[in-house]
Amino acid sequence: MEAPPVTTMPVTGGTINMMEYLLQGSILDQGLDSLLHRLRGLCDNMEPETFADHESVYLLKGQQASPFVLRARRPLDRPGSPWHLRYLGQPEAGDRSRHTLVRNCVDIATSEVLPEFLQEMGFRMDHEFIAKGHLFRKGVMKIAVFKVFRVLVAGTAEGAEPLSLSYLVELSVVAPAGQDSIADEVRSFAEQLKPLVQLEKIDPKRLM
Amino acid sequence: MQREEKQLETSLETLIAQVSDIKNSLVAFIHKLENEYERLTWPSVLDNFALLTGQLNTLNKVLKNEKMPLLKNQVIIPLLLSPDRDEEIMRLTEGRVPVFSHEVVPDHLRTKPDPEVEEQEKQLSSEAARITPEVAQKQVQSMNKLCNSLLEKIIKEERDSDVSSLRQNKQTYNPNDTNALVAAVAFGKGLSNRRPPGPGGPMGAGQTGASGMLPGAASMQQMSMPPNQQQHMAGVPMAQGGQPGKMPSSIKTNIKSASMHPYQR
């Protein structure tokens, strides 16, 4: 059967054309406490928030060379909360003058039938992982410090083993396209986390 | 003359207002320290200090103002001393000084330091006068030497702590880990589910097989030898690979051959 026609471009126009400005880095386990301490000082005054998410990445192979990728996330620690479906566009690293990675993104909250729905549409699961960690906010910026776990038994979080001895640190802002001044804001916040964490724009294509 | 007096009066009034402001904040602060020390937070203590600093600064500004007459040149003389209780003085001093007598006036109107302090100062200056200029010079030099070596030590200590903290900080992240984690999150690199056939694995392999190599080969054969029998003969060695996935592919090719037929003949 032929795959349904899908465009690899996200819906543009309206309010959906949002961009994610992203910087990534990592922190070794032994440095985690000092990083959290610093983030508590720098970020908005709020109760420290933790999260534990299970992310499944689905692919749909169409006529195009590159498959269409959707990410489905469900919280493990908050039963009954909605699933989170996310589309991420190709990241653009840009030149040196651009301070962050920029990629298109569409976020939608869904019900728990999402996996079945995607499978019926012809998507198949490519890989999955567990992300457990801490979440901070500073204005529009979001800082997630989390550990990535390898899933051993498909579809369940049990027995997941940590991928490395580091936590991944992601500093991101989702904003309407064209607000490049936000990238400067993100960069200056990243400067404040140095030398604890080196947040950079990392083009994943380089790591393939 | 009258103008100067007026000026003195107004500036004294502002001075009194400033000083009473400072006094009030001091009183409030002391009250807090004495009565609320159990629930007093450090930030609020700092706030109080900041308030006092600000008020002292304003007082200094008032004193240094050009319009402020030289207070040093003003002389205060006690005109009337009395051993009797003075209610007015009581009120003005908030009950601290009940009488304005010869006993308290020397203390309150004193412009010189305390006698003990004066005595100490006198001793020091006489000692300083006794030593010769050469000895003085020597002492200045040794003092400078001490200060310099102390400064050097402090600077060196600072630099060392910087270096050591840098060394420590280098260990807080590992670029390789960053890359591994980013690759894992971005496209599942290193996540075990990717390679071993998961729920979608075998299906995907079958699909690529069916739509990729096999039909192409089959249709090639069909083009060259249309008869069904021969196609089967040729198909057998091909099927030696022995997948059940062969079935759909042969159906597909049959359909294809059917649709091809009219054009071939």
Side-chain angles (χ1 to χ4, degrees):
Chain A
M1 209 185 94
E2 208 54 63
V6 206
T7 162
T8 49
M9 290 300 290
V11 184
T12 49
T15 52
I16 307 177
N17 192 15
M18 301 292 269
M19 304 298 268
E20 186 186 47
Y21 296 80
L22 178 74
L23 286 177
Q24 290 167 311
S26 74
I27 180 101
L28 288 169
D29 289 356
Q30 58 262 37
L32 179 72
D33 281 339
S34 24
L35 175 68
L36 294 183
H37 198 261
R38 188 174 292 192
L39 282 170
R40 264 199 291 276
L42 288 172
C43 291
D44 290 346
N45 202 4
M46 57 172 214
E47 285 297 303
E49 213 173 288
T50 59
F51 69 91
D53 286 352
H54 178 194
E55 179 166 318
S56 311
V57 180
Y58 287 87
L59 296 188
L60 180 62
K61 288 203 169 108
Q63 303 96 320
Q64 291 89 358
S66 56
F68 185 74
V69 184
L70 281 181
R71 294 160 181 274
R73 258 194 191 226
R74 77 188 158 100
L76 297 168
D77 52 346
R78 290 177 184 79
S81 323
W83 283 57
H84 176 189
L85 179 64
R86 175 159 238 219
Y87 165 80
L88 289 173
Q90 279 299 319
E92 304 162 30
D95 52 11
R96 280 191 143 267
S97 64
R98 181 183 270 169
H99 294 315
T100 65
L101 209 69
V102 181
R103 59 188 182 187
N104 233 306
C105 87
V106 181
D107 292 293
I108 306 153
T110 76
S111 69
E112 74 282 351
V113 298
L114 179 65
E116 289 86 359
F117 178 71
L118 288 175
Q119 240 138 31
E120 291 300 323
M121 276 184 77
F123 281 89
R124 63 177 186 83
M125 186 157 83
D126 184 65
H127 61 273
E128 57 186 334
F129 61 87
I130 309 279
K132 273 187 199 168
H134 307 261
L135 195 66
F136 295 88
R137 275 193 294 272
K138 163 90 175 161
V140 288
M141 275 183 278
K142 189 175 95 178
I143 303 98
V145 182
F146 58 94
K147 178 144 276 204
V148 178
F149 291 82
R150 195 184 282 135
V151 174
L152 296 184
V153 185
T156 62
E158 271 156 48
E161 59 176 27
L163 189 68
S164 77
L165 296 173
S166 290
Y167 280 74
L168 183 62
V169 184
E170 286 192 333
L171 170 55
S172 65
V173 177
V174 175
Q179 292 201 8
D180 283 352
S181 60
I182 282 182
D184 301 339
E185 208 179 306
V186 171
R187 163 62 74 188
S188 70
F189 187 82
E191 288 294 324
Q192 295 181 55
L193 295 180
K194 279 180 188 171
L196 223 47
V197 190
Q198 181 82 25
L199 289 172
E200 289 169 319
K201 47 173 188 180
I202 301 170
D203 191 351
K205 274 177 286 189
R206 196 165 51 80
L207 304 171
M208 277 220 175
Chain B
M1 192 60 198
Q2 218 175 5
R3 222 192 64 198
E4 270 179 33
E5 260 176 35
K6 223 174 190 178
Q7 211 176 26
L8 178 67
E9 211 159 280
T10 51
S11 40
L12 277 184
E13 259 166 35
T14 41
L15 266 189
I16 288 170
Q18 291 292 337
V19 172
S20 73
D21 273 359
I22 295 178
K23 199 192 73 184
N24 287 336
S25 0
L26 273 174
V27 167
F29 187 27
I30 290 170
H31 182 267
K32 257 190 206 165
L33 282 179
E34 281 176 351
N35 298 306
E36 299 172 22
Y37 56 88
E38 270 170 357
R39 53 202 156 90
L40 200 60
T41 60
W42 181 235
S44 86
V45 173
L46 286 181
D47 281 350
N48 277 295
F49 276 126
L51 181 65
L52 287 173
T53 325
Q55 284 174 336
L56 283 172
N57 267 330
T58 356
L59 181 66
N60 261 332
K61 258 185 210 158
V62 171
L63 282 172
K64 281 180 186 159
N65 198 329
E66 282 174 18
K67 283 183 185 159
M68 178 62 76
L70 276 174
L71 294 174
K72 250 189 193 171
N73 297 350
Q74 304 295 327
V75 182
I76 301 172
I77 340 163
L79 289 176
L80 176 72
L81 296 180
S82 138
D84 297 331
R85 206 178 154 86
D86 189 337
E87 289 303 323
E88 178 68 9
I89 278 269
M90 269 291 263
R91 196 180 57 77
L92 281 174
T93 61
E94 292 172 350
R96 289 188 180 86
V97 183
V99 286
F100 198 63
S101 67
H102 59 279
E103 215 177 319
V104 296
V105 163
D107 282 341
H108 290 303
L109 297 187
R110 177 195 299 284
T111 53
K112 285 183 175 180
D114 281 355
E116 302 100 67
V117 178
E118 222 169 19
E119 193 60 34
Q120 280 184 354
E121 223 178 67
K122 219 182 261 173
Q123 264 185 16
L124 282 175
S125 49
S126 70
E127 236 172 74
R130 245 186 287 134
I131 57 168
T132 57
E134 290 86 53
V135 178
Q137 191 63 32
K138 254 184 202 165
Q139 284 188 354
V140 168
Q141 271 173 3
S142 65
M143 179 71 178
N144 279 342
K145 212 171 156 188
L146 269 176
C147 287
N148 279 336
S149 68
L150 201 61
L151 266 178
E152 266 168 32
K153 263 189 189 160
I154 291 170
I155 290 170
K156 194 172 164 242
E157 190 62 36
E158 261 180 10
R159 206 184 301 134
D160 283 1
S161 72
D162 269 8
V163 168
S164 69
S165 69
L166 260 184
R167 212 175 289 136
Q168 266 183 354
N169 286 335
K170 265 193 186 143
Q171 291 167 350
T172 58
Y173 68 92
N174 177 353
N176 294 335
D177 275 2
T178 308
N179 288 342
L181 287 168
V182 169
V185 172
F187 46 86
K189 191 176 179 180
L191 297 172
S192 61
N193 232 33
R194 195 171 159 80
R195 264 172 227 157
M203 193 182 86
Q207 258 182 1
T208 49
S211 61
M213 183 207 137
L214 272 180
S219 61
M220 279 282 278
Q221 286 156 12
Q222 234 158 333
M223 293 285 248
S224 49
M225 2 182 161
N228 248 353
Q229 195 67 24
Q230 273 193 336
Q231 195 254 332
H232 251 293
M233 292 285 278
V236 171
M238 281 298 284
Q240 220 62 302
Q243 313 99 313
K246 176 70 182 151
M247 264 316 272
S249 88
S250 73
I251 292 168
K252 231 181 189 174
T253 48
N254 276 345
I255 296 165
K256 255 190 189 162
S257 68
S259 61
M260 286 287 222
H261 247 46
Y263 294 98
Q264 250 190 343
R265 292 275 147 116

